Amino acid sequence: MRIITGLARILIIFLFASLSRECIAADGPQQRSILVLEEADFRSPFYSEIFAGIRAAAKQSGTTQTVIYGESLDLARFPGPDYEESLVGHLKTKYAHRPIDVIVSIGVASAKFLQKRKQDIWPAPPVVYGFVPDLPETRALFLPNTTAIFARVRPAHLLTAARAIVPDLTRVVLVGDAWKNPLVYGHWKQDFAAAMPDLEVTDLSDAVLRDVRKHVASLPARSAILTSAMYSDGEGTYYSPVSALARVAEHANRPIVITSDTFLGRAGVGGFLLLPETIGREAGEVAMRILDGEAPSRIPPFAGDNVKPIFDWRQLKRWNVDEANLPAGSEVRFRQPSFWEQYYWHSTIVASVVLVQALMIAVLLRERRLRFLAEVEARQRMSELAHMNRRATAGEMTASIAHELNQPLAAILINAETAQQVLRNPAPDLGEVTNILDHIRRDDQRAAEVIGRLRSFLRRDPTERHELDLNATVGEVFRFLSVQALTHDVELTTEPSSANIRVKADKIQLQQAILNLVVNAMDAVAHLPDDRRRVVGRTSLSDGNLAIVSIVDTGDGIMAEKVSEIFQPFFTTKAQGMGKGLSIAHTIVAAHGGRIWAENAPSGGAVFHVSLPLAAPR
Ligand code: ADP
């Protein structure tokens, strides 16, 4: 029975042991906790980034859940023992039932607070100090069972940045009340003097913001403003450091060297900047190592990699700072890409399109030029051909011209002989002689006109277009051919339109085209009986804006199947024909923007029409 009781006891103990293990497994691993104590306000960008860095480090490390508590001690804005006392009471009550595994203390003021009050509130947990400078004064604040990651912008850093921005620097102006904190900025005045013995230092760390703004508005050349955070000024007015600096920057006439990443882009050219996110992450990583079981005493305090030379590109441009002068390893932010970098593809496409377009325009212009030259050459050829054509026509007309000249010459001869006879008379009738001389003169003029018409017909003038009276122009051609018509016994008549038709044309060319049509018409009727040897020249208006010349004959007409061919060069049905007359007429009319065509009249005979645009459309 005793044995059974002993066995039952062992079984019960085993059962409880396994049950409690199950329960623990069901709850999961124990929660760990970090308390972040920040000397200032969490809501300021600098401290909120530090907190974000700590949180990021906790998240990164393993699966164990870590709860992070945060407290803003806000000691700069709320100094004094009463507040400190109330703070201690508040924290003691607040954390009475919340075990804290590691404290991350941010800032010198927080380290000081812990040195005095940690024992009261959290006697056990180890401390990781962050955002403290590595100075004997700060190391003296560290409690046992703690470690630290140092962060500090050194005076030499500030001077290096200031000289990169103002190479011939002779004066620095210190703005911001944090300069007064000996535990942060240490022995900066001695450090400045050691680095640059001739440097003039104007200390405005005690001045009220109003005076600071006034002062920085008229600083001499070769000076720079060095800023630390401004929380309050000499009047006890409290600021957010970012907005205080922005207000200083509004008035500053010299570049501002800054000390925190959170100021960049809001004010200041740049400098060796504290990186709050990195400060937080470094402290958070050490806190996690401690939570994972490492003893703080085995992690000696070390300098963090949390200060970097960073500059604002826009401010570098504003102050004409050569990037080559910046400290080695500097990062330049807010660089605005050049137009070319920003719109590389757009520009390339637009440039290509413009180039292609320019090429096309060039090709088109070249073609236009070539066409123009070809047209000029064609016109010249046509003019030469036309001239030859006129000479040939004149040659054919030699007989009739001679005949026409003969008449006035014969008349002159007769008149001259008559005058001689009258003068042989002892009492010559001088009135009659005068009369005879008048006749001689008139006949001479007639002969001169014939010669003149021939000469103008044979002239080789450059193409010149003038406004012409179409009725008169056609009339002149018919008059010119009248002698030849007489010779061949052809009746030439004109039926001019009653309207005053005006066209813009080269008179000689247009007359030649019409003349060719009339000569062809005379050829077409030359072999026919008397009553069919008629050629009529008509002018008319068509559709109100075209001038029409129609040459109508009473010949046999054009062979129907040849109507489309007759305007081709060298097409002829005549034994002595050249086949050039109609093709020259066609070229001339086309060059004047007109049209030429032929048809057979229903009553027999051919009709050739020429249409030309009016000089001034009605
Ligand atoms: P050519 O007079 O030297 O033959 P053209 O070019 O002046 O050259 O005329 C070409 C052809 O057109 C003529 O050979 C003729 O067959 C035809 N032709 C021209 N005018 C007339 C017309 N009025 N009646 C009939 N046929 C014509």
Side-chain angles (χ1 to χ4, degrees):
M1 188 64 194
R2 269 173 173 258
I3 295 166
I4 292 171
T5 317
L7 267 174
R9 207 177 278 159
I10 290 165
L11 262 174
I12 289 163
I13 290 168
F14 180 74
L15 204 69
F16 267 105
S18 56
L19 261 179
S20 65
R21 248 203 324 270
E22 284 296 304
C23 289
I24 290 166
D27 280 347
Q30 242 190 334
Q31 207 179 43
R32 310 178 313 176
S33 63
I34 297 177
L35 170 64
V36 180
L37 280 189
E38 291 207 349
E39 61 180 355
D41 188 346
F42 269 122
R43 285 162 299 185
S44 76
F46 188 83
Y47 289 94
S48 82
E49 277 196 32
I50 290 183
F51 192 79
I54 296 170
R55 209 168 26 206
K59 210 170 169 188
Q60 232 174 21
S61 109
T63 50
T64 317
Q65 200 199 341
T66 307
V67 63
I68 304 174
Y69 301 108
E71 294 296 336
S72 292
L73 299 179
D74 218 351
L75 295 165
R77 288 194 290 182
F78 299 92
D82 292 349
Y83 168 66
E84 190 179 300
E85 212 51 54
S86 73
L87 193 61
V88 171
H90 165 73
L91 293 172
K92 268 170 95 168
T93 313
K94 188 171 173 182
Y95 291 94
H97 303 291
R98 297 288 158 102
I100 300 297
D101 295 315
V102 179
I103 296 173
V104 176
S105 160
I106 298 299
V108 175
S110 171
K112 266 184 177 172
F113 175 80
L114 282 179
Q115 189 197 32
K116 276 203 279 174
R117 312 309 298 253
K118 178 170 180 282
Q119 194 57 30
D120 282 356
I121 319 168
W122 304 283
V127 180
V128 177
Y129 296 103
F131 190 42
V132 281
D134 186 5
L135 294 168
E137 294 91 327
T138 46
R139 280 182 182 257
L141 300 172
F142 298 165
L143 293 163
N145 198 29
T146 63
T147 187
I149 304 102
F150 299 113
R152 186 192 180 201
V153 178
R154 296 169 188 285
H157 278 149
L158 281 155
L159 278 188
T160 308
R163 288 163 95 173
I165 298 163
V166 184
D168 52 357
L169 185 76
T170 56
R171 180 201 288 245
V172 290
V173 179
L174 307 183
V175 170
D177 63 324
W179 285 111
K180 290 186 291 187
N181 186 346
L183 286 182
V184 178
Y185 290 97
H187 316 284
W188 50 269
K189 271 193 177 161
Q190 293 92 306
D191 290 348
F192 280 159
M196 256 187 93
D198 301 336
L199 186 71
E200 278 182 62
V201 179
T202 307
D203 185 359
L204 298 181
S205 58
D206 266 327
V208 295
L209 185 57
R210 201 175 42 254
D211 293 341
V212 172
R213 277 154 60 101
K214 214 181 285 169
H215 196 103
V216 298
S218 55
L219 292 176
R222 304 170 71 188
S223 61
I225 301 160
L226 309 186
T227 60
S228 66
M230 179 185 276
Y231 289 97
S232 78
D233 64 11
E235 280 179 335
T237 313
Y238 289 93
Y239 301 103
S240 110
V242 169
S243 64
L245 184 62
R247 292 178 66 187
V248 173
E250 271 169 18
H251 285 251
N253 71 334
R254 297 297 303 152
I256 298 176
V257 179
I258 51 175
T259 51
S260 163
D261 186 21
T262 46
F263 295 148
L264 199 74
R266 296 178 166 110
V269 185
F272 285 83
L273 307 187
L274 286 159
L275 308 172
E277 208 270 342
T278 310
I279 291 171
R281 201 159 21 77
E282 289 171 342
E285 279 164 8
V286 172
M288 296 313 290
R289 280 165 64 188
I290 294 170
L291 283 181
D292 287 343
E294 227 173 307
S297 54
R298 302 197 59 121
I299 309 172
F302 64 94
D305 184 16
N306 45 35
V307 173
K308 260 194 161 177
I310 307 175
F311 295 85
D312 183 334
W313 182 84
R314 299 161 302 186
Q315 293 279 330
L316 292 177
K317 287 276 159 267
R318 179 183 165 193
W319 299 104
N320 278 329
V321 179
D322 184 353
E323 280 189 40
N325 287 347
L326 298 182
S330 289
E331 183 187 332
V332 178
R333 290 199 192 149
F334 309 113
R335 196 185 286 283
Q336 278 162 5
S338 66
F339 179 84
W340 182 242
E341 287 164 343
Q342 206 173 354
Y343 298 108
Y344 176 78
W345 283 112
H346 303 74
S347 314
T348 312
I349 290 168
V350 169
S352 315
V353 169
V354 169
L355 201 73
V356 169
Q357 221 172 35
L359 271 173
M360 278 167 68
I361 289 170
V363 168
L364 288 175
L365 283 176
R366 196 181 126 77
E367 274 195 5
R368 205 179 100 132
R369 170 112 193 109
L370 288 178
R371 197 177 320 137
F372 172 75
L373 290 176
E375 273 171 17
V376 167
E377 201 181 311
R379 263 205 301 275
Q380 206 168 333
R381 293 266 172 280
M382 187 201 76
S383 169
E384 280 166 12
L385 205 62
H387 185 242
M388 278 166 58
N389 175 247
R390 285 197 297 278
R391 291 176 77 124
T393 311
E396 283 167 21
M397 287 163 65
T398 314
S400 42
I401 290 165
H403 173 76
E404 199 177 358
L405 277 178
N406 223 10
Q407 276 186 340
L409 286 177
I412 288 169
L413 185 64
I414 292 167
N415 279 322
E417 285 169 0
T418 314
Q420 273 176 336
Q421 270 179 14
V422 174
L423 287 174
R424 265 188 230 118
N425 202 316
D429 181 352
L430 290 180
E432 190 167 356
V433 173
T434 310
N435 206 10
I436 292 168
L437 286 176
D438 275 349
H439 277 100
I440 290 175
R441 175 131 41 74
R442 208 177 48 232
D443 288 332
D444 182 75
Q445 269 170 357
R446 256 179 72 195
E449 269 170 33
V450 172
I451 306 260
R453 275 209 303 271
L454 186 65
R455 281 173 66 181
S456 83
F457 180 68
L458 288 175
R459 225 175 34 224
R460 191 208 290 251
D461 278 352
T463 306
E464 256 182 44
R465 291 185 189 172
H466 301 284
E467 203 175 303
L468 305 173
D469 176 345
L470 190 65
N471 288 336
T473 309
V474 173
E476 274 177 33
V477 175
F478 274 69
R479 256 197 313 286
F480 183 66
L481 290 172
S482 57
V483 180
Q484 200 177 5
L486 214 64
T487 318
H488 293 94
D489 208 9
V490 176
E491 183 190 332
L492 277 191
T493 44
T494 52
E495 293 175 7
S497 161
S498 57
N500 175 19
I501 304 174
R502 302 193 71 80
V503 292
K504 199 164 181 197
D506 180 301
K507 190 175 173 187
I508 294 182
Q509 286 187 4
L510 182 59
Q511 285 189 329
Q512 182 181 354
I514 297 166
L515 180 137
N516 287 357
L517 300 181
V518 181
V519 169
N520 275 346
M522 292 200 304
D523 283 351
V525 297
H527 62 284
L528 295 173
D530 282 358
D531 59 331
R532 282 186 61 190
R533 288 210 291 270
R534 263 184 294 117
V535 174
V536 182
R538 274 189 209 126
T539 56
S540 58
L541 279 171
S542 163
D543 298 338
N545 60 357
L546 281 179
I548 309 279
V549 179
S550 305
I551 307 299
V552 187
D553 65 53
T554 46
D556 298 329
I558 309 153
M559 281 182 281
E561 68 275 16
K562 302 287 181 194
V563 171
S564 57
E565 278 177 58
I566 53 175
F567 294 100
Q568 301 288 332
F570 307 113
F571 176 84
T572 182
T573 54
K574 300 174 193 169
Q576 305 300 320
M578 294 257 295
K580 292 301 300 168
L582 287 183
S583 91
I584 287 171
H586 180 270
T587 312
I588 290 173
V589 172
H592 282 76
R595 200 162 77 83
I596 185 168
W597 70 102
E599 61 189 2
N600 285 319
S603 54
V607 187
F608 282 78
H609 303 281
V610 170
S611 74
L612 292 169
L614 291 177
R618 285 155 194 250

